[in-house]
mmCIF file of all heavy atoms in Angstrom:
data_model
loop_
_atom_site.group_PDB
_atom_site.id
_atom_site.type_symbol
_atom_site.label_atom_id
_atom_site.label_comp_id
_atom_site.label_asym_id
_atom_site.label_seq_id
_atom_site.Cartn_x
_atom_site.Cartn_y
_atom_site.Cartn_z
ATOM 1 N N GLU A 1 122.662 123.542 132.348
ATOM 2 C CA GLU A 1 121.596 122.524 132.529
ATOM 3 C C GLU A 1 121.733 121.530 131.383
ATOM 4 O O GLU A 1 121.876 121.854 130.228
ATOM 5 C CB GLU A 1 120.220 123.178 132.469
ATOM 6 C CG GLU A 1 119.116 122.163 132.691
ATOM 7 C CD GLU A 1 117.759 122.783 132.886
ATOM 8 O OE1 GLU A 1 117.577 123.589 133.806
ATOM 9 O OE2 GLU A 1 116.874 122.470 132.060
ATOM 10 N N VAL A 2 121.640 120.249 131.780
ATOM 11 C CA VAL A 2 121.630 119.160 130.841
ATOM 12 C C VAL A 2 120.287 118.435 131.037
ATOM 13 O O VAL A 2 119.999 117.953 132.133
ATOM 14 C CB VAL A 2 122.793 118.151 131.082
ATOM 15 C CG1 VAL A 2 122.704 116.956 130.150
ATOM 16 C CG2 VAL A 2 124.146 118.873 130.926
ATOM 17 N N ALA A 3 119.471 118.420 129.995
ATOM 18 C CA ALA A 3 118.182 117.781 130.051
ATOM 19 C C ALA A 3 118.227 116.480 129.220
ATOM 20 O O ALA A 3 118.752 116.466 128.118
ATOM 21 C CB ALA A 3 117.086 118.686 129.500
ATOM 22 N N VAL A 4 117.694 115.398 129.812
ATOM 23 C CA VAL A 4 117.666 114.096 129.135
ATOM 24 C C VAL A 4 116.222 113.656 128.980
ATOM 25 O O VAL A 4 115.520 113.599 130.010
ATOM 26 C CB VAL A 4 118.455 113.068 129.952
ATOM 27 C CG1 VAL A 4 118.451 111.721 129.278
ATOM 28 C CG2 VAL A 4 119.908 113.554 130.167
ATOM 29 N N ALA A 5 115.813 113.373 127.801
ATOM 30 C CA ALA A 5 114.446 112.950 127.476
ATOM 31 C C ALA A 5 114.491 111.533 126.890
ATOM 32 O O ALA A 5 115.504 111.095 126.381
ATOM 33 C CB ALA A 5 113.818 113.926 126.473
ATOM 34 N N PRO A 6 113.357 110.850 126.951
ATOM 35 C CA PRO A 6 113.318 109.512 126.342
ATOM 36 C C PRO A 6 113.747 109.587 124.873
ATOM 37 O O PRO A 6 113.370 110.536 124.139
ATOM 38 C CB PRO A 6 111.816 109.126 126.425
ATOM 39 C CG PRO A 6 111.358 109.884 127.635
ATOM 40 C CD PRO A 6 112.096 111.201 127.605
ATOM 41 N N GLY A 7 114.530 108.627 124.454
ATOM 42 C CA GLY A 7 115.059 108.598 123.078
ATOM 43 C C GLY A 7 116.387 109.290 122.892
ATOM 44 O O GLY A 7 117.064 109.149 121.908
ATOM 45 N N ASP A 8 116.828 110.103 123.896
ATOM 46 C CA ASP A 8 118.167 110.702 123.842
ATOM 47 C C ASP A 8 119.241 109.658 124.014
ATOM 48 O O ASP A 8 118.999 108.596 124.628
ATOM 49 C CB ASP A 8 118.320 111.774 124.932
ATOM 50 C CG ASP A 8 117.530 113.051 124.634
ATOM 51 O OD1 ASP A 8 116.988 113.198 123.531
ATOM 52 O OD2 ASP A 8 117.486 113.910 125.558
ATOM 53 N N PRO A 9 120.451 109.918 123.547
ATOM 54 C CA PRO A 9 121.565 108.978 123.781
ATOM 55 C C PRO A 9 121.744 108.674 125.239
ATOM 56 O O PRO A 9 121.558 109.564 126.095
ATOM 57 C CB PRO A 9 122.786 109.687 123.200
ATOM 58 C CG PRO A 9 122.242 110.706 122.262
ATOM 59 C CD PRO A 9 120.901 111.099 122.836
ATOM 60 N N VAL A 10 122.171 107.463 125.561
ATOM 61 C CA VAL A 10 122.368 107.041 126.946
ATOM 62 C C VAL A 10 123.715 107.478 127.478
ATOM 63 O O VAL A 10 123.991 107.317 128.667
ATOM 64 C CB VAL A 10 122.162 105.543 127.160
ATOM 65 C CG1 VAL A 10 120.733 105.133 126.832
ATOM 66 C CG2 VAL A 10 123.162 104.760 126.343
ATOM 67 N N ARG A 11 124.554 108.061 126.643
ATOM 68 C CA ARG A 11 125.858 108.639 127.033
ATOM 69 C C ARG A 11 125.954 110.041 126.449
ATOM 70 O O ARG A 11 125.707 110.218 125.245
ATOM 71 C CB ARG A 11 127.030 107.805 126.521
ATOM 72 C CG ARG A 11 127.188 106.486 127.232
ATOM 73 C CD ARG A 11 128.510 105.792 126.887
ATOM 74 N NE ARG A 11 129.679 106.532 127.170
ATOM 75 C CZ ARG A 11 130.243 106.600 128.385
ATOM 76 N NH1 ARG A 11 129.693 105.972 129.397
ATOM 77 N NH2 ARG A 11 131.335 107.307 128.632
ATOM 78 N N GLN A 12 126.208 111.017 127.299
ATOM 79 C CA GLN A 12 126.424 112.374 126.830
ATOM 80 C C GLN A 12 127.638 112.914 127.524
ATOM 81 O O GLN A 12 128.065 112.333 128.523
ATOM 82 C CB GLN A 12 125.191 113.221 127.127
ATOM 83 C CG GLN A 12 123.966 112.839 126.355
ATOM 84 C CD GLN A 12 122.801 113.781 126.580
ATOM 85 O OE1 GLN A 12 122.991 114.971 126.909
ATOM 86 N NE2 GLN A 12 121.598 113.291 126.418
ATOM 87 N N GLN A 13 128.140 114.034 127.023
ATOM 88 C CA GLN A 13 129.270 114.685 127.702
ATOM 89 C C GLN A 13 129.049 116.142 127.708
ATOM 90 O O GLN A 13 128.344 116.720 126.845
ATOM 91 C CB GLN A 13 130.604 114.277 127.081
ATOM 92 C CG GLN A 13 130.821 114.801 125.661
ATOM 93 C CD GLN A 13 132.235 114.447 125.133
ATOM 94 O OE1 GLN A 13 133.020 113.906 125.883
ATOM 95 N NE2 GLN A 13 132.464 114.756 123.907
ATOM 96 N N VAL A 14 129.683 116.779 128.680
ATOM 97 C CA VAL A 14 129.638 118.216 128.800
ATOM 98 C C VAL A 14 131.010 118.692 129.261
ATOM 99 O O VAL A 14 131.699 118.035 130.001
ATOM 100 C CB VAL A 14 128.526 118.627 129.829
ATOM 101 C CG1 VAL A 14 128.783 118.139 131.208
ATOM 102 C CG2 VAL A 14 128.288 120.157 129.829
ATOM 103 N N CYS A 15 131.414 119.863 128.730
ATOM 104 C CA CYS A 15 132.695 120.460 129.114
ATOM 105 C C CYS A 15 132.390 121.737 129.875
ATOM 106 O O CYS A 15 131.663 122.587 129.426
ATOM 107 C CB CYS A 15 133.471 120.765 127.801
ATOM 108 S SG CYS A 15 135.111 121.524 128.139
ATOM 109 N N VAL A 16 132.979 121.791 131.079
ATOM 110 C CA VAL A 16 132.704 122.934 131.928
ATOM 111 C C VAL A 16 133.996 123.462 132.547
ATOM 112 O O VAL A 16 135.065 122.834 132.554
ATOM 113 C CB VAL A 16 131.734 122.531 133.105
ATOM 114 C CG1 VAL A 16 130.401 122.135 132.560
ATOM 115 C CG2 VAL A 16 132.330 121.434 133.966
ATOM 116 N N ARG A 17 133.908 124.646 133.120
ATOM 117 C CA ARG A 17 135.030 125.265 133.805
ATOM 118 C C ARG A 17 134.960 124.886 135.297
ATOM 119 O O ARG A 17 133.905 124.536 135.787
ATOM 120 C CB ARG A 17 134.939 126.788 133.690
ATOM 121 C CG ARG A 17 135.087 127.296 132.290
ATOM 122 C CD ARG A 17 136.487 127.109 131.837
ATOM 123 N NE ARG A 17 136.678 127.719 130.514
ATOM 124 C CZ ARG A 17 137.757 127.554 129.813
ATOM 125 N NH1 ARG A 17 138.782 126.893 130.285
ATOM 126 N NH2 ARG A 17 137.868 128.052 128.630
ATOM 127 N N PRO A 18 136.075 124.941 136.006
ATOM 128 C CA PRO A 18 136.038 124.696 137.461
ATOM 129 C C PRO A 18 135.015 125.588 138.169
ATOM 130 O O PRO A 18 134.825 126.776 137.769
ATOM 131 C CB PRO A 18 137.476 125.015 137.912
ATOM 132 C CG PRO A 18 138.309 124.764 136.707
ATOM 133 C CD PRO A 18 137.421 125.230 135.537
ATOM 134 N N GLY A 19 134.352 125.069 139.163
ATOM 135 C CA GLY A 19 133.376 125.839 139.916
ATOM 136 C C GLY A 19 131.975 125.848 139.342
ATOM 137 O O GLY A 19 131.080 126.415 139.921
ATOM 138 N N THR A 20 131.820 125.210 138.184
ATOM 139 C CA THR A 20 130.490 125.218 137.540
ATOM 140 C C THR A 20 129.528 124.294 138.282
ATOM 141 O O THR A 20 129.943 123.241 138.812
ATOM 142 C CB THR A 20 130.642 124.731 136.052
ATOM 143 O OG1 THR A 20 131.501 125.643 135.352
ATOM 144 C CG2 THR A 20 129.332 124.663 135.342
ATOM 145 N N VAL A 21 128.262 124.642 138.266
ATOM 146 C CA VAL A 21 127.188 123.781 138.792
ATOM 147 C C VAL A 21 126.409 123.281 137.597
ATOM 148 O O VAL A 21 125.917 124.061 136.795
ATOM 149 C CB VAL A 21 126.275 124.537 139.761
ATOM 150 C CG1 VAL A 21 125.104 123.667 140.220
ATOM 151 C CG2 VAL A 21 127.069 125.046 140.979
ATOM 152 N N VAL A 22 126.295 121.940 137.507
ATOM 153 C CA VAL A 22 125.549 121.326 136.421
ATOM 154 C C VAL A 22 124.221 120.833 136.987
ATOM 155 O O VAL A 22 124.213 120.067 137.954
ATOM 156 C CB VAL A 22 126.335 120.136 135.798
ATOM 157 C CG1 VAL A 22 125.504 119.467 134.713
ATOM 158 C CG2 VAL A 22 127.666 120.610 135.253
ATOM 159 N N SER A 23 123.131 121.311 136.398
ATOM 160 C CA SER A 23 121.799 120.813 136.753
ATOM 161 C C SER A 23 121.444 119.737 135.756
ATOM 162 O O SER A 23 121.396 119.988 134.581
ATOM 163 C CB SER A 23 120.746 121.925 136.719
ATOM 164 O OG SER A 23 121.017 122.902 137.711
ATOM 165 N N LEU A 24 121.190 118.546 136.230
ATOM 166 C CA LEU A 24 120.841 117.411 135.364
ATOM 167 C C LEU A 24 119.328 117.125 135.584
ATOM 168 O O LEU A 24 118.906 116.901 136.710
ATOM 169 C CB LEU A 24 121.675 116.199 135.764
ATOM 170 C CG LEU A 24 121.454 114.899 134.990
ATOM 171 C CD1 LEU A 24 121.715 115.087 133.515
ATOM 172 C CD2 LEU A 24 122.322 113.812 135.565
ATOM 173 N N VAL A 25 118.570 117.191 134.507
ATOM 174 C CA VAL A 25 117.130 116.922 134.557
ATOM 175 C C VAL A 25 116.844 115.735 133.660
ATOM 176 O O VAL A 25 117.097 115.735 132.476
ATOM 177 C CB VAL A 25 116.314 118.153 134.054
ATOM 178 C CG1 VAL A 25 114.826 117.885 134.114
ATOM 179 C CG2 VAL A 25 116.694 119.388 134.868
ATOM 180 N N LEU A 26 116.339 114.664 134.330
ATOM 181 C CA LEU A 26 116.037 113.408 133.615
ATOM 182 C C LEU A 26 114.551 113.211 133.545
ATOM 183 O O LEU A 26 113.881 113.014 134.564
ATOM 184 C CB LEU A 26 116.702 112.235 134.401
ATOM 185 C CG LEU A 26 118.201 112.386 134.589
ATOM 186 C CD1 LEU A 26 118.623 111.871 135.929
ATOM 187 C CD2 LEU A 26 118.935 111.654 133.472
ATOM 188 N N SER A 27 114.004 113.290 132.324
ATOM 189 C CA SER A 27 112.560 113.107 132.155
ATOM 190 C C SER A 27 112.160 111.663 132.490
ATOM 191 O O SER A 27 113.018 110.760 132.483
ATOM 192 C CB SER A 27 112.199 113.411 130.699
ATOM 193 O OG SER A 27 112.427 114.777 130.413
ATOM 194 N N PRO A 28 110.877 111.440 132.787
ATOM 195 C CA PRO A 28 110.431 110.088 133.117
ATOM 196 C C PRO A 28 110.728 109.168 131.991
ATOM 197 O O PRO A 28 110.689 109.513 130.830
ATOM 198 C CB PRO A 28 108.934 110.276 133.302
ATOM 199 C CG PRO A 28 108.691 111.727 133.565
ATOM 200 C CD PRO A 28 109.818 112.443 132.870
ATOM 201 N N ARG A 29 111.075 107.919 132.366
ATOM 202 C CA ARG A 29 111.393 106.901 131.398
ATOM 203 C C ARG A 29 110.138 106.300 130.810
ATOM 204 O O ARG A 29 109.116 106.249 131.473
ATOM 205 C CB ARG A 29 112.265 105.818 132.062
ATOM 206 C CG ARG A 29 113.597 106.381 132.541
ATOM 207 C CD ARG A 29 114.441 105.369 133.270
ATOM 208 N NE ARG A 29 114.624 104.159 132.483
ATOM 209 C CZ ARG A 29 115.607 103.954 131.611
ATOM 210 N NH1 ARG A 29 116.514 104.901 131.423
ATOM 211 N NH2 ARG A 29 115.732 102.796 130.976
ATOM 212 N N THR A 30 110.193 105.796 129.636
ATOM 213 C CA THR A 30 109.041 105.243 128.949
ATOM 214 C C THR A 30 108.974 103.686 129.102
ATOM 215 O O THR A 30 108.021 103.070 128.714
ATOM 216 C CB THR A 30 109.051 105.579 127.440
ATOM 217 O OG1 THR A 30 110.232 105.108 126.853
ATOM 218 C CG2 THR A 30 108.868 107.083 127.219
ATOM 219 N N ASP A 31 110.045 103.110 129.682
ATOM 220 C CA ASP A 31 110.106 101.625 129.785
ATOM 221 C C ASP A 31 109.595 101.117 131.094
ATOM 222 O O ASP A 31 109.746 99.941 131.436
ATOM 223 C CB ASP A 31 111.515 101.175 129.538
ATOM 224 C CG ASP A 31 112.534 101.696 130.537
ATOM 225 O OD1 ASP A 31 112.159 102.418 131.490
ATOM 226 O OD2 ASP A 31 113.735 101.403 130.401
ATOM 227 N N GLY A 32 109.002 101.991 131.917
ATOM 228 C CA GLY A 32 108.451 101.538 133.206
ATOM 229 C C GLY A 32 109.483 101.603 134.352
ATOM 230 O O GLY A 32 109.113 101.428 135.486
ATOM 231 N N LYS A 33 110.743 101.802 134.026
ATOM 232 C CA LYS A 33 111.760 101.872 135.063
ATOM 233 C C LYS A 33 111.767 103.272 135.636
ATOM 234 O O LYS A 33 111.420 104.244 134.994
ATOM 235 C CB LYS A 33 113.155 101.505 134.517
ATOM 236 C CG LYS A 33 113.263 100.070 134.076
ATOM 237 C CD LYS A 33 114.629 99.721 133.615
ATOM 238 C CE LYS A 33 114.724 98.281 133.245
ATOM 239 N NZ LYS A 33 116.080 97.899 132.828
ATOM 240 N N ARG A 34 112.221 103.350 136.879
ATOM 241 C CA ARG A 34 112.292 104.644 137.568
ATOM 242 C C ARG A 34 113.728 104.980 137.890
ATOM 243 O O ARG A 34 114.536 104.058 138.195
ATOM 244 C CB ARG A 34 111.539 104.604 138.910
ATOM 245 C CG ARG A 34 110.061 104.278 138.764
ATOM 246 C CD ARG A 34 109.298 105.498 138.355
ATOM 247 N NE ARG A 34 108.391 105.878 139.403
ATOM 248 C CZ ARG A 34 107.837 107.056 139.502
ATOM 249 N NH1 ARG A 34 108.102 107.953 138.599
ATOM 250 N NH2 ARG A 34 106.998 107.339 140.439
ATOM 251 N N TRP A 35 114.085 106.262 137.761
ATOM 252 C CA TRP A 35 115.408 106.716 138.173
ATOM 253 C C TRP A 35 115.532 106.428 139.653
ATOM 254 O O TRP A 35 114.605 106.715 140.411
ATOM 255 C CB TRP A 35 115.578 108.174 137.876
ATOM 256 C CG TRP A 35 115.379 108.562 136.428
ATOM 257 C CD1 TRP A 35 114.354 109.303 135.930
ATOM 258 C CD2 TRP A 35 116.206 108.244 135.345
ATOM 259 N NE1 TRP A 35 114.503 109.460 134.573
ATOM 260 C CE2 TRP A 35 115.636 108.843 134.174
ATOM 261 C CE3 TRP A 35 117.421 107.538 135.205
ATOM 262 C CZ2 TRP A 35 116.206 108.693 132.925
ATOM 263 C CZ3 TRP A 35 117.971 107.431 133.946
ATOM 264 C CH2 TRP A 35 117.382 108.015 132.837
ATOM 265 N N THR A 36 116.660 105.943 140.087
ATOM 266 C CA THR A 36 116.809 105.622 141.505
ATOM 267 C C THR A 36 117.920 106.360 142.221
ATOM 268 O O THR A 36 117.808 106.713 143.395
ATOM 269 C CB THR A 36 117.015 104.096 141.709
ATOM 270 O OG1 THR A 36 118.203 103.717 141.027
ATOM 271 C CG2 THR A 36 115.826 103.311 141.279
ATOM 272 N N ALA A 37 119.055 106.614 141.598
ATOM 273 C CA ALA A 37 120.195 107.236 142.246
ATOM 274 C C ALA A 37 121.211 107.600 141.192
ATOM 275 O O ALA A 37 121.105 107.218 140.011
ATOM 276 C CB ALA A 37 120.807 106.228 143.225
ATOM 277 N N LEU A 38 122.230 108.359 141.640
ATOM 278 C CA LEU A 38 123.349 108.647 140.745
ATOM 279 C C LEU A 38 124.625 108.606 141.598
ATOM 280 O O LEU A 38 124.655 108.759 142.761
ATOM 281 C CB LEU A 38 123.200 109.999 140.028
ATOM 282 C CG LEU A 38 123.533 111.270 140.773
ATOM 283 C CD1 LEU A 38 123.904 112.342 139.746
ATOM 284 C CD2 LEU A 38 122.380 111.738 141.544
ATOM 285 N N ARG A 39 125.741 108.350 140.819
ATOM 286 C CA ARG A 39 127.038 108.218 141.429
ATOM 287 C C ARG A 39 128.084 108.937 140.540
ATOM 288 O O ARG A 39 127.957 109.039 139.341
ATOM 289 C CB ARG A 39 127.428 106.739 141.463
ATOM 290 C CG ARG A 39 126.567 105.917 142.328
ATOM 291 C CD ARG A 39 127.042 104.478 142.389
ATOM 292 N NE ARG A 39 126.107 103.722 143.205
ATOM 293 C CZ ARG A 39 125.716 102.483 142.938
ATOM 294 N NH1 ARG A 39 126.230 101.854 141.869
ATOM 295 N NH2 ARG A 39 124.914 101.867 143.693
ATOM 296 N N SER A 40 129.087 109.455 141.215
ATOM 297 C CA SER A 40 130.227 110.100 140.553
ATOM 298 C C SER A 40 131.459 109.186 140.644
ATOM 299 O O SER A 40 131.762 108.690 141.695
ATOM 300 C CB SER A 40 130.533 111.434 141.163
ATOM 301 O OG SER A 40 131.695 112.001 140.615
ATOM 302 N N SER A 41 132.143 109.042 139.517
ATOM 303 C CA SER A 41 133.377 108.239 139.524
ATOM 304 C C SER A 41 134.535 108.981 140.199
ATOM 305 O O SER A 41 135.503 108.385 140.558
ATOM 306 C CB SER A 41 133.788 107.831 138.101
ATOM 307 O OG SER A 41 134.136 108.988 137.344
ATOM 308 N N ALA A 42 134.378 110.301 140.308
ATOM 309 C CA ALA A 42 135.422 111.149 140.922
ATOM 310 C C ALA A 42 134.752 112.223 141.764
ATOM 311 O O ALA A 42 134.690 113.382 141.362
ATOM 312 C CB ALA A 42 136.337 111.754 139.857
ATOM 313 N N PRO A 43 134.253 111.836 142.972
ATOM 314 C CA PRO A 43 133.519 112.826 143.775
ATOM 315 C C PRO A 43 134.390 114.009 144.230
ATOM 316 O O PRO A 43 133.798 115.075 144.540
ATOM 317 C CB PRO A 43 133.007 112.017 144.960
ATOM 318 C CG PRO A 43 133.611 110.689 144.870
ATOM 319 C CD PRO A 43 134.266 110.542 143.538
ATOM 320 N N ALA A 44 135.684 113.903 144.231
ATOM 321 C CA ALA A 44 136.515 115.061 144.575
ATOM 322 C C ALA A 44 136.483 116.088 143.447
ATOM 323 O O ALA A 44 136.782 117.289 143.697
ATOM 324 C CB ALA A 44 137.936 114.632 144.868
ATOM 325 N N LEU A 45 136.179 115.668 142.226
ATOM 326 C CA LEU A 45 136.143 116.561 141.101
ATOM 327 C C LEU A 45 134.693 117.021 140.799
ATOM 328 O O LEU A 45 134.450 118.198 140.546
ATOM 329 C CB LEU A 45 136.719 115.863 139.870
ATOM 330 C CG LEU A 45 136.753 116.677 138.599
ATOM 331 C CD1 LEU A 45 137.717 117.874 138.756
ATOM 332 C CD2 LEU A 45 137.209 115.840 137.432
ATOM 333 N N VAL A 46 133.775 116.093 140.752
ATOM 334 C CA VAL A 46 132.342 116.406 140.493
ATOM 335 C C VAL A 46 131.512 115.708 141.593
ATOM 336 O O VAL A 46 131.432 114.489 141.617
ATOM 337 C CB VAL A 46 131.874 115.935 139.109
ATOM 338 C CG1 VAL A 46 130.415 116.272 138.884
ATOM 339 C CG2 VAL A 46 132.772 116.584 138.016
ATOM 340 N N GLN A 47 130.955 116.537 142.475
ATOM 341 C CA GLN A 47 130.221 116.009 143.657
ATOM 342 C C GLN A 47 128.726 116.203 143.447
ATOM 343 O O GLN A 47 128.273 117.324 143.326
ATOM 344 C CB GLN A 47 130.671 116.757 144.886
ATOM 345 C CG GLN A 47 129.899 116.407 146.139
ATOM 346 C CD GLN A 47 130.190 114.976 146.588
ATOM 347 O OE1 GLN A 47 131.310 114.587 146.693
ATOM 348 N NE2 GLN A 47 129.154 114.214 146.848
ATOM 349 N N PRO A 48 127.950 115.100 143.441
ATOM 350 C CA PRO A 48 126.510 115.255 143.462
ATOM 351 C C PRO A 48 126.115 115.895 144.757
ATOM 352 O O PRO A 48 126.456 115.424 145.836
ATOM 353 C CB PRO A 48 125.984 113.873 143.354
ATOM 354 C CG PRO A 48 127.102 113.042 142.755
ATOM 355 C CD PRO A 48 128.355 113.715 143.287
#
């Protein structure tokens, strides 16, 4: 599980083994913007 809260760095990294499931939890933003979507640069490797 990777949790992201306001004030955390806007870039993070995680190292995992093949077959791992990553749960990404993004806390509400404080700037009034809302999370809208996510994309993978390599969906064959990491698929949302």
Side-chain angles (χ1 to χ4, degrees):
E1 182 171 301
V2 176
V4 179
D8 285 353
V10 296
R11 288 190 61 80
Q12 293 185 28
Q13 67 177 354
V14 63
C15 180
V16 297
R17 295 291 184 185
T20 300
V21 175
V22 178
S23 294
L24 180 60
V25 180
L26 302 143
S27 294
R29 296 176 55 87
T30 58
D31 61 4
K33 294 184 178 182
R34 299 281 245 162
W35 302 111
T36 57
L38 79 155
R39 297 182 182 141
S40 174
S41 66
L45 181 65
V46 180
Q47 175 67 49

